[in-house]
Each structure stands twice: as C-alpha cells, then as structure tokens.
Amino acid sequence: MNYQNLPILSIVTFFPLIGIFIIFFIRKDNYRLIQWIAFITALIDFILSVPLYFSFDSSQWKMQFIENIPWIEQFGIYYSMGIDGISLPLVLLTTFLSVIAILSTWTAVTEKVKGYMISLLFLETGMIGVYCALDFILFYIFWEVMLVPMYFIIGIWGGPRRLYAAIKFFLYTMFGSSLMLVAILVLYFINHSQTGVYSFSIPKFFGMNLSMNLQFWLFLAFFIAFGIKVPIFPFHTWLPDAHVEAPTAGSVILAGVLLKMGTYGFLRISLPMLPQASMNFIPFISVLGIIGVIYGAMVSLAQEDIKKLVAYSSVSHLGLCMLGMFAMNTAGIQGSILQMVNHGLSTGALFLMVGIIYEQRHTRLISEYGGLWKVIPVFTIIFLLVVFSSMGVPGLNGFVSEILILIGVFKRNIWFGIIVTVGLILDTVYLLWMFQRVVLGEITKDENRHLKDINKRELLCLLPIILFIIWIGVYPRPFLNKMQASVEHLIEQVKFNNNTITEDGEQEAHFSYGNFNTND
Amino acid sequence: MEILIPTIKLATIYPEIIITTFAILVLLLQVFPTVIGKDYLGYTSLAGVILAAIITGQGGASGEGGEAIYSFSNMWVVDNYSRFFKLIFLLGTGLTILISIKYTKDEGINNGEYYSLLLFATAGMMLMAGGTDLIVIFLGLELMSISLYVLAGYVRKRLISNESALKYFLLGSFATGFLLYGIALLYGATGTTSLKGISGFISEASFGSPILIMGMLLLLIGFGFKIAAVPFHMWTPDVYEGAPSPITAFMSAGPKAAAFAAFLRVFIEALPSLQGIWVDIIWVLAALTMTIGNVIALVQDNVKRMLAYSSIAHAGYVLVAFVSTDKLGVASILYYMLAYTFMNIGAFAIVIIIGGKGEEKINLKDYTGLAYRYPLTAAAMCLFLLSLTGIPPTAGFMGKLYIFSAAIKSGYVGLATIAVLNSVISVYYYMKIILAMYMKEPESSVQHSPLVFTPAMIIALGLAVYGVLRMGIFPSAYISMAQQSYLSF
C-alpha cells in the first residue's frame, strides 16, 4: 500500500472523532470502558502518526503529505493539509502526549468521565489540525475549535478557582485570535489585489510584497494572538491560573501542546509572511524573551505551590524558545523547535508527577512534603531525572536545545547571550531548591510516611517520556535532521525578502524602527 | 377620461396570497368546535408557510436565470434578493409556529388569532422585502408592526406582557411617524415615491437639497428603530422580555430581517448618491450598537433579557456589513440573517422549554446543572450559544467571517476591529449560560420540574441544529444562494 496516497494527515487528525462517536453510545456509569476506548483511540492515533516520521523526506523543505480539496470555493477556502519539518515534530508530540494524558487520568478523574474523554479526544483533533492546516481559515477554525474542549476541561474538572481560570483562558485567547482574524482578512484582500486570485492558502502568502508600515501592523496583530498563546511576558497572566486549576491531563496538554501553537504560529506565519517586520521586531521580542526567562524564574522561586512553580517555569522556558526563534539563524530556530518538544516532554512529566503525589495527599504545597526519597524511591529517581531534564543538564534533552539556542543568540547579539545565560542559572536554582524541599531531607509530615510509590500504570505513563528525554539528550540527530531543510528554507525566506527591500521600503523600515524604539 | 389599468402579474404575489389566505382560513377554522383539540390551527398555518416557501423557493414567479420581474406599475418586484429574504421570513415563521404549539396551550392562548396575526405579520414582512415603492414598503411595515403590537401583549393576564405591548405600540407609532415624515419629505424633494424614480431624480438634479437630506435622516431613524440600532434601541429589552417567548424569538429574527431588507433596498436603490453621508452615520450606529448591546448584556441575569441585548449587538454586526455597500456586503447580510434565524430561534426554543408554564424559569440560576439532567438539550443550547459567539464550526462563525470580510474589503479595518473585539466581549455573557449549565452544581433549594418535549419542539430544535451545523461546516450552497441574491444596482 502506498502510504503517500492515503489522506494520512486527515486520518490522524480526525481519528479521535471515531473514538468520540463510540464513546457517545456507552452508558456513562461504565467509565472504565470509556477510559479504555479513549486510550485505545489515542494509542491507535499515535501509531498511525509514527509512519509520518519515517516516510517524511528530510532532504527537502517542501510541504509533504499534501491534501487539497476545495471547500468553500466562493472564497477560495480549501481543505488543505500538509506538514514540513517544523510541524512534523509537533504533530508527533501531540499524538504522543495525548496517549499519556489519557492514561494519566485513570484514577484522577472518576466523575463525568464520558464528557472528559470526549473533550480530550476532541482537543486532540483540534491540536493536530492546527499543526497540519495549510489554509488560513482551516487553521483559524482548528485554533478556535480547541478553545471549547479546553474551556470545559478546566471549568468542569478543575480545581477550586476553575470557573475564573476557564473564562480567563477563553477570553485571553479569543482576544488574540480575533485580532488574528482581522489580520488574516487584510492579507487575503491584499493578496487578491496583487494576484487577482482569492485564496487563503498559507504558502501563497509567503514573500508577498507588503509595505513596511502594513507589515508592522499585521505583525503586531499576529504577535498579540500568538504571544498570548505562548505566552510571552506581559501576556502570561492567564497561564498560572489555567495550569493550576486544570486537572493533571489538562495541564499536560496545555503545557505540552497548546502553548506550542503560539510559537508554531510565529514560525509558520509571522516570520515567512512578514520578514521585514520580523527583523525589526528582533530586539523587542528578544528583550521580552529575556524578561520572560528571568521573570519566570524569579517568580517560580517564590512559589509555594509545586504546580504553580512548574507553570511559571513554562513562562521561563518559552521565553527562551522565543529568544532562540528570533535569533533568526539555523541553530537558534532548530534549538527553539527542539525546545518546544523538550518543554512538552519535561514539563508534561513534571505535571504528571505532581499529579501523582497530589492524588494521594490532595495538596500541592511544597511545605507539606519533604523527605519523600525515603518513602517513594522510584518516584524520587524519575523526578530527579525530569527535574534535570528541565534544568538542561548535559546528557538529557533540555541541554541540547538550550545549547543550540544559546549558540544562536550569541551569534545574533552577544549581550543578549550573556544576560540570558546568567538568567538560565536561576532555572537551576528554583528547580533544585524545589527538589530539595520536596524530596530530600527528613520526613517532616507524618501523612507522607504512607505515600505509595509509582504504580505500573503511572510508570507506563512516565517511561516513554523518560526514554525520549534520554534519547534526545544523547543522540538528537534524528530529530534535528528532520527539521534541518525546513528551517534553512525558512531563514532563506526571511533573508531573501529582506534583501529585496526597495528603496522606499528601506526608508519606511527605519522610520518604523525609530517609532518602535520610542514606544518601547 | 380613460383609466389605464396597469399590467398585473398575479403570479408574482402567489406566496403572499397564500399566506394571507391561510391567515384568514385559520381565523375561520377555529369557529368550528372540534373534538381533536386546537393543535390543528398551528399545523394548518405551518402548511401555509411551507406551501408559500415552496413556491418562493421554486421561483415560479420570477424569471429564468433569476432576473427581476416587476409588476403593479413597478411598485413590486420579485428578484433573488426578495426571494432570499422571504425564505428567511418563512423559515422564521415556520420555526416560530413549531415552538408555539405547546406554549400557546400552556398559556391558554391557543387561538386562531395568534396564528393569524403571525401570518399577517409574515405577509407584511414579505411586502417589505419585495416593495420597490416607499408606499408599498410602508404598508408592509405597518401590517407587520400592528400584528406585532398585538402579539407582544397576547398573554393578556400577564402584566409584563401588557407593558411590553403598550411600550412597543407607543414607541413604534412614534418611529413610524418619523418614517412617514421621511417618505413625505423625499416625495416633496423628488416628486415620486418609487425607489428608481428617487435615485433617477437625485442623479439628475443638483445634489444636496436640505429637504432630501432631512428626509433621508428621518428614514434612517425610522428603520433604525425597527432594527433596534443604538440609540433607537430603548424599547427592545422591555418588549422582548415581556412578550411571549415564541413572539420574542420571532421578532428578533423575521421582522428584524424584514426591516433590514427594506432598509438596504431603500438606501442602496434610492439613495446611492447620498452614500457619502449615510455611510458615515451607519458606521457610527454600527459601532455604538455592537458595543452597547454587548456591554449591557454582560450584566443581565435574565436569559431572555440577555438575548434581547444580544440581538441588539447582532444588529450592530449586520450594520457593519451595511457600511460596505458592495455586493459582498449585501450577500453577507443575507447569509448572516439566515444563520441568525437558525441560531437565535434555536436558543429561544430552549428558553421556552426551560421556562415552563408561565415563563417562570428564565433566570440564569434555572439553568444550573442542566447538562447533567438533560445532556442533549444542554448540548444544543451550547451549540446555539457558541454560534452566537461566532466560534467555528458553526453558522455564526461563517456569518461573521463573511461580514468582516465585506467590511475589510471596503477598507473599514477599524470598524471590523471594533466588531471582532465585540465578539470577545460577547464571549463572557454567552459563556455565563454555558458555565451555569455545565460547571455549576444545581442548587438543592431550586425545585426542578421535568422538562416537556413535544414532537413539534423537537422538530424545531432539530432543524435549528441542522441549520447551524450545515451553514457552519458546508456553507458553499448557502453562500452561492446569497451571492446570487445581491441587489442589482
């Protein structure tokens, strides 16, 4: 059977809907069966997505596994799917983490399981769709559609302040995406006036001839949309609330996959479509990235709740991710994409492990723990490994991406490099300090003496993540290879378009650059 | 003296004739005492609506290839534009009849007059969509409005319903006065009431006579009242809250669409040369209407009242498309009104189901925990609300996409931005209902009587759900219908 001829991306994207369809007909008290079906659906979906990796041709940057069917022809909207080296790792990360997230809720969520599993599977469809969509409207639809299940996951199965967190999450994201819709439509009509064709196809917008002023405004709109999702420093306030209130699986998906939609948006849309504006925004976004790294780390340091600490660490890690991306060179962007994957793995694992002890003690306060290594040794070892991975200890995955990003940043601007390296030390401090207070030392609370160590199911959740944490750390080549061509092409697109600025554009570029400095 | 009898093509008014005939038929039918109850009155009216819809849909009356057919001395036209609007009205009326059947029985108002008035209002709306003369449009508007005044107060024993009717009548007649003044001034300035005649006169004569502009402004106020644009919206919340729920659903869809149909036709066909003036005014009206409707809706706890404010906000979105007066703008209004009819009547259907006898349960707290008692009903409501918010893949999203495209294409990026930010505001109050249904445990003190679902209600809900999803996921067919229906100007 020829794999290339199957609409494989659609199959991977919409397969979870089959699971939803089956779950729909199961009585709601039979929650074990519902969990099994959800798990098997996600697992099959992951297995279906694995061949994508092997049949992906890493020697070229072009979109692959393309599907293109007219959908709303009057507007030039196509059902258009395809992936390149940038989206491939994210698709795989999504299918992988979805399986783990579903497996992790076996005992954590026992009420209203039916709705929960339907929401999780629906979310999976939305997330994969975002990474595969090559049509702007399709992209936007997937982007918005996944708001609803996430809203339900936080709002129904979340913690005490879930209602507040859920609506905050919804409003923030909706605010950003509504500006994105305006920007998309503006691009659409400009493209029509230039080419005479109505089309929403994303690749067709690459390398358009846009005036500097226009690029500035469009970039700003996309920046707000994606920046809220990432989240970049001043837009991050929804994240701790959403993370802390969401149930474990929700946090894993939120940190592991949803946040990456923002960074992915920058790579897929902002950089190649608005290259000059992107170049002009480098200092601005780099500074915000550095603030994110340092601010996230400092706030984490002050947290008393483990989950909140992990949530703020995401702000720090994604700040680094943005910094690497806007270094605008191969090392930086590759590091940035790898950092997305690594953050998904290590932060996902951290949330899972917090979930495991929370399920037994129903508290996440650091002060309630201490000396766990004596009671639950297996947990301790895995926890240490995950904390090391998150810190970027050599030999584990975090190191590879951090070093790549640092190389990229140093090439771009040596001062940024020096500041962020110092900032990264703070990462080590809060993670190790948290580890020390939770796991090491003497047992201070009697309740902790009876904690149960990781069971087989939980081990099954964590082991695959550990496997990848070590694999990427020791031998990252297979992962980097797949994205190489696409990343290089992306950089060419940005550079090429910057070289062809007209005299006029050049002047405008300086103008808006000056503008932006005064605004800053 | 020889009297010229104008050529009359009766075929062009078959749908209107059918609706009027059935309106009278229903009145007569109820005189005969029957053993089978009075449900048949509703179903008879429904049959009339379906028949009229079939004839309108087939376009038997209009020309091949959808060209416009004029009749009655060019006072009346059947074109794709009017046909599309008529189908929206008939859909709205049909859905309203379906959701009325049980309601009228519960409230003891299951009379022929109720359905008869509904059908007369529908006939009035159809006249507004097809009229090419200010007099015909005015007659249609009055037929519709007077029927609605009565319907708003139809539950005689409920005080709030009486208040609603009286308020609507007083303010409505006042607005009609403005409209009529406007028509009179236009006639004075141009010497004709025919839309074509007016535009012809203005383009020939020197433009900018103060009487003409005054007339246009008065027309704008009159129509602004009927579509409930801010600042002419004051009547809406009280009237919508007090009127019987099926009538509220009806008013927010059909008559509003009818007012838009006439508004568009008058301004685009008769007053295109004044476009420079009215576009700016409508720009401001649109921004105000969206923002004020949405912001006040935020603080409502009464779901019916909340939906009233939401319907003000939606009129604002439609005005956004109005500003971009090109083909795309008109088509997007047609599409949006159709989508809005499905989603809004769907939402009201659920308000009726939950409201129960005497409409006592219309507050947010009556919705708590609905998802765990009636998961499908809650899911349907959730779908309608998401559609009203404009979340894909629903009709509401496609409609908004269409409207915003029209605005941006004509260069109104600022207005489009105000519009999208308004949909963000609207998230909050629509989500409040979803939040109550799904995320709050029902209060133990509140007694929940079981909800009653009649087959008619289920059919209405099914249709609305189908419409919302179909227009959201596979909108192509509807979009091309809307595209063919723009005004030929």
Side-chain angles (χ1 to χ4, degrees):
Chain A
M1 193 159 59
N2 191 346
Y3 193 72
Q4 292 278 355
N5 288 340
L6 280 172
I8 183 68
L9 289 178
S10 298
I11 295 174
V12 172
T13 305
F14 292 107
F15 190 77
L17 296 185
I18 296 175
I20 293 178
F21 186 73
I22 298 169
I23 290 175
F24 198 73
F25 291 103
I26 299 174
R27 282 170 55 87
K28 62 176 174 222
D29 355 331
N30 199 351
Y31 69 88
R32 265 300 166 234
L33 183 62
I34 293 174
Q35 285 173 330
W36 272 108
I37 288 173
F39 173 66
I40 291 168
T41 312
L43 189 66
I44 295 177
D45 203 34
F46 174 62
I47 293 169
L48 282 172
S49 71
V50 168
L52 284 177
Y53 176 84
F54 293 105
S55 28
F56 186 84
D57 177 5
S58 54
S59 65
Q60 55 167 329
W61 53 266
K62 285 201 173 79
M63 292 291 169
Q64 300 179 29
F65 313 107
I66 286 183
E67 295 163 33
N68 209 17
I69 303 161
W71 180 21
I72 306 171
E73 281 179 275
Q74 292 94 336
F75 297 161
I77 300 175
Y78 277 69
Y79 172 80
S80 168
M81 307 275 264
I83 54 173
D84 65 357
I86 297 170
S87 29
L88 174 71
L90 295 169
V91 171
L92 294 174
L93 180 72
T94 310
T95 53
F96 175 71
L97 280 181
S98 293
V99 182
I100 301 220
I102 287 172
L103 189 62
S104 78
T105 60
W106 225 251
T107 51
V109 173
T110 47
E111 267 180 55
K112 304 164 189 163
V113 175
K114 192 169 172 178
Y116 193 61
M117 290 302 167
I118 289 177
S119 298
L120 276 176
L121 289 174
F122 197 64
L123 193 60
E124 189 181 358
T125 291
M127 293 183 303
I128 302 173
V130 166
Y131 296 129
C132 294
L134 285 186
D135 182 283
F136 248 139
I137 295 301
L138 194 64
F139 175 83
Y140 186 82
I141 286 176
F142 280 127
W143 177 281
E144 289 273 282
V145 140
M146 88 338 94
L147 275 180
V148 179
M150 198 68 217
Y151 172 73
F152 280 128
I153 287 174
I154 299 174
I156 300 180
W157 295 274
R161 289 172 69 235
R162 60 205 158 89
L163 300 182
Y164 170 76
I167 194 76
K168 196 171 178 184
F169 163 78
F170 204 119
L171 283 175
Y172 261 70
T173 321
M174 184 84 186
F175 173 73
S177 51
S178 63
L179 291 180
M180 173 162 81
L181 183 64
V182 175
I184 291 174
L185 290 172
V186 170
L187 273 173
Y188 170 71
F189 286 111
I190 293 174
N191 185 46
H192 171 248
S193 67
Q194 285 180 0
T195 62
V197 181
Y198 280 121
S199 168
F200 276 108
S201 164
I202 289 179
K204 286 200 179 132
F205 291 98
F206 294 159
M208 273 168 74
N209 184 22
L210 301 168
S211 82
M212 201 50 232
N213 193 27
L214 193 65
Q215 283 204 18
F216 173 81
W217 289 107
L218 290 174
F219 191 93
L220 205 64
F222 282 119
F223 169 74
I224 293 171
F226 300 142
I228 286 173
K229 203 83 181 184
V230 171
I232 296 176
F233 162 63
F235 307 123
H236 67 281
T237 55
W238 63 270
L239 178 100
D241 288 314
H243 266 322
V244 171
E245 300 307 323
T248 301
S251 302
V252 172
I253 296 282
L254 198 57
V257 188
L258 279 191
L259 303 187
K260 280 35 178 220
M261 285 164 51
T263 41
Y264 173 77
F266 276 108
L267 286 171
R268 173 66 68 239
I269 290 163
S270 300
L271 296 191
M273 282 181 203
L274 311 162
Q276 286 99 346
S278 306
M279 290 304 266
N280 286 349
F281 267 93
I282 285 177
F284 180 65
I285 291 183
S286 298
V287 168
L288 287 183
I290 291 173
I291 295 176
V293 171
I294 295 174
Y295 171 85
M298 305 255 271
V299 179
S300 301
L301 210 52
Q303 294 309 315
E304 291 168 350
D305 180 318
I306 313 177
K307 213 171 174 187
K308 219 164 184 173
L309 182 142
V310 179
Y312 274 110
S313 83
S314 293
V315 177
S316 179
H317 283 140
L318 285 158
L320 191 66
C321 199
M322 289 308 296
L323 196 63
M325 188 190 302
F326 276 76
M328 247 26 130
N329 47 39
T330 318
I333 293 182
Q334 276 198 329
S336 179
I337 299 171
L338 197 61
Q339 173 81 352
M340 295 179 204
V341 177
N342 289 341
H343 175 260
L345 295 173
S346 56
T347 309
L350 277 176
F351 278 125
L352 286 176
M353 306 206 69
V354 175
I356 289 169
I357 48 174
Y358 176 79
E359 237 183 279
Q360 302 186 35
R361 284 289 317 277
H362 293 282
T363 175
R364 289 183 301 248
L365 290 180
I366 295 177
S367 55
E368 286 289 316
Y369 296 98
L372 296 188
W373 63 282
K374 287 186 181 160
V375 196
I376 41 175
V378 183
F379 177 88
T380 306
I381 295 169
I382 299 180
F383 197 48
L384 182 68
L385 201 72
V386 174
V387 165
F388 276 175
S389 146
S390 185
M391 262 161 40
V393 168
L396 298 177
N397 62 347
F399 177 73
V400 182
S401 51
E402 282 187 12
I403 206 77
L404 278 170
I405 291 177
L406 285 180
I407 293 172
V409 175
F410 269 103
K411 269 193 206 160
R412 166 62 53 192
N413 185 326
I414 195 154
W415 289 107
F416 288 165
I418 291 170
I419 300 170
V420 79
T421 315
V422 175
L424 283 179
I425 296 171
L426 282 174
D427 265 355
T428 325
V429 176
Y430 70 79
L431 280 167
L432 277 186
W433 194 35
M434 181 269 285
F435 185 75
Q436 189 189 337
R437 284 181 292 168
V438 170
V439 178
L440 301 182
E442 289 303 313
I443 302 175
T444 47
K445 303 269 177 205
D446 280 339
E447 297 93 322
N448 290 334
R449 288 185 197 282
H450 308 294
L451 284 181
K452 285 193 226 59
D453 210 341
I454 286 181
N455 63 29
K456 280 181 196 150
R457 178 184 55 81
E458 288 158 350
L459 201 61
L460 200 62
C461 278
L462 289 165
L463 271 186
I465 301 188
I466 301 296
L467 176 75
F468 279 105
I469 284 182
I470 296 175
W471 186 0
I472 300 179
V474 177
Y475 189 58
R477 190 120 299 277
F479 300 91
L480 292 173
N481 263 351
K482 291 284 174 187
M483 57 178 92
Q484 183 101 19
S486 297
V487 169
E488 276 165 6
H489 175 71
L490 175 68
I491 292 167
E492 255 168 51
Q493 277 179 318
V494 177
K495 291 225 168 101
F496 175 77
N497 282 307
N498 270 297
N499 289 336
T500 54
I501 296 187
T502 56
E503 201 72 342
D504 199 35
E506 196 89 65
Q507 276 166 0
E508 274 185 301
H510 285 297
F511 174 70
S512 67
Y513 193 71
N515 243 353
F516 138 94
N517 272 342
T518 48
N519 284 340
D520 199 32
Chain B
M1 186 178 128
E2 194 186 348
I3 296 172
L4 271 175
I5 296 175
T7 48
I8 289 175
K9 294 177 192 140
L10 263 189
T12 56
I13 53 163
Y14 277 161
E16 289 76 10
I17 292 176
I18 290 168
I19 289 290
T20 319
T21 314
F22 270 83
I24 297 164
L25 186 71
V26 176
L27 264 188
L28 293 177
L29 271 182
Q30 72 155 349
V31 175
F32 304 107
T34 50
V35 283
I36 51 165
K38 279 178 162 184
D39 278 4
Y40 70 94
L41 291 171
Y43 292 113
T44 313
S45 331
L46 190 65
V49 169
I50 293 171
L51 196 61
I54 290 171
I55 291 179
T56 313
Q58 278 178 341
S62 89
E64 293 296 316
E67 83 232 31
I69 292 188
Y70 289 87
S71 178
F72 296 96
S73 315
N74 289 338
M75 290 176 111
W76 176 252
V77 70
V78 176
D79 51 7
N80 280 339
Y81 174 82
S82 66
R83 281 173 53 213
F84 194 102
F85 264 116
K86 283 176 199 168
L87 287 177
I88 295 180
F89 307 151
L90 292 169
L91 173 75
T93 312
L95 287 175
T96 307
I97 292 171
L98 283 173
I99 61 178
S100 297
I101 288 171
K102 175 169 176 299
Y103 182 92
T104 48
K105 240 190 309 194
D106 281 354
E107 306 292 330
I109 52 170
N110 194 9
N111 305 324
E113 290 92 337
Y114 178 90
Y115 296 105
S116 174
L117 283 166
L118 259 183
L119 292 179
F120 275 126
T122 310
M125 280 150 40
M126 292 164 90
L127 283 181
M128 287 168 78
T132 51
D133 190 291
L134 288 173
I135 296 298
V136 177
I137 290 175
F138 181 74
L139 286 176
L141 187 99
E142 279 302 273
L143 179 55
M144 172 188 93
S145 299
I146 291 169
S147 311
L148 285 178
Y149 300 150
V150 182
L151 282 171
Y154 208 83
V155 189
R156 278 190 307 266
K157 287 173 192 155
R158 206 182 299 153
L159 214 54
I160 189 172
S161 185
N162 289 330
E163 179 195 336
S164 158
L166 200 61
K167 233 175 209 166
Y168 194 23
F169 173 64
L170 287 176
L171 290 172
S173 353
F174 202 58
T176 311
F178 276 100
L179 197 73
L180 208 51
Y181 247 127
I183 293 173
L185 286 180
L186 279 187
Y187 179 74
T190 62
T192 173
T193 52
S194 128
L195 299 183
K196 282 231 171 85
I198 292 174
S199 82
F201 181 88
I202 298 175
S203 59
E204 280 169 29
S206 60
F207 144 87
S209 110
I211 296 181
L212 192 68
I213 292 176
M214 203 59 208
M216 180 204 77
L217 290 177
L218 289 172
L219 276 184
L220 197 69
I221 294 174
F223 283 123
F225 178 88
K226 289 293 167 197
I227 60 169
V230 176
F232 316 113
H233 68 291
M234 299 298 183
W235 58 278
T236 321
D238 289 338
V239 172
Y240 278 23
E241 191 189 342
S245 290
I247 298 305
T248 312
F250 179 69
M251 281 198 288
S252 68
K256 192 169 266 192
F260 268 114
F263 193 5
L264 263 175
R265 199 193 278 280
V266 170
F267 275 68
I268 288 177
E269 264 184 15
L271 305 165
S273 19
L274 299 182
Q275 196 168 319
I277 304 170
W278 56 257
V279 160
D280 289 344
I281 300 175
I282 292 179
W283 195 104
V284 176
L285 284 187
L288 277 179
T289 308
M290 289 184 292
T291 313
I292 291 182
N294 276 322
V295 170
I296 303 184
L298 288 178
V299 293
Q300 303 302 324
D301 272 334
N302 179 325
V303 174
K304 223 170 142 187
R305 207 171 166 87
M306 184 190 287
L307 286 174
Y309 279 108
S310 122
S311 101
I312 295 178
H314 281 273
Y317 298 132
V318 177
L319 284 176
V320 171
F322 203 145
V323 170
S324 67
T325 46
D326 66 344
K327 267 168 34 178
L328 198 60
V330 175
S332 71
I333 292 178
L334 291 166
Y335 189 83
Y336 199 81
M337 287 318 303
L338 182 61
Y340 186 69
T341 304
F342 278 121
M343 59 198 184
N344 211 40
I345 295 190
F348 268 109
I350 292 185
V351 170
I352 292 170
I353 294 176
I354 292 172
K357 201 167 178 176
E359 282 189 41
E360 279 160 357
K361 293 180 176 152
I362 47 171
N363 284 317
L364 213 48
K365 68 175 190 320
D366 301 309
Y367 288 73
T368 44
L370 184 73
Y372 305 111
R373 291 180 288 130
Y374 295 96
L376 280 179
T377 315
M381 186 63 168
C382 188
L383 182 75
F384 298 137
L385 292 171
L386 289 175
S387 180
L388 286 165
T389 321
I391 304 279
T394 57
F397 167 71
M398 278 299 162
K400 277 193 179 151
L401 179 71
Y402 211 159
I403 281 183
F404 300 157
S405 321
I408 288 174
K409 191 186 178 201
S410 312
Y412 296 99
V413 180
L415 190 61
T417 312
I418 297 175
V420 291
L421 292 181
N422 262 293
S423 2
V424 181
I425 300 176
S426 72
V427 166
Y428 187 79
Y429 61 87
Y430 292 128
M431 287 297 146
K432 253 189 357 192
I433 304 179
I434 295 185
L435 191 138
M437 292 191 303
Y438 282 88
M439 295 168 199
K440 283 193 177 153
E441 297 301 326
E443 291 163 40
S444 49
S445 60
V446 181
Q447 283 294 315
H448 290 291
S449 43
L451 305 182
V452 186
F453 296 87
T454 56
M457 192 59 109
I458 291 170
I459 292 170
L461 278 177
L463 268 173
V465 167
Y466 170 80
V468 167
L469 286 177
R470 174 73 208 273
M471 287 184 74
I473 301 174
F474 300 107
S476 269
Y478 297 92
I479 289 174
S480 50
M481 253 167 78
Q483 279 181 336
Q484 285 157 13
S485 311
Y486 64 86
L487 285 166
S488 40
F489 53 86

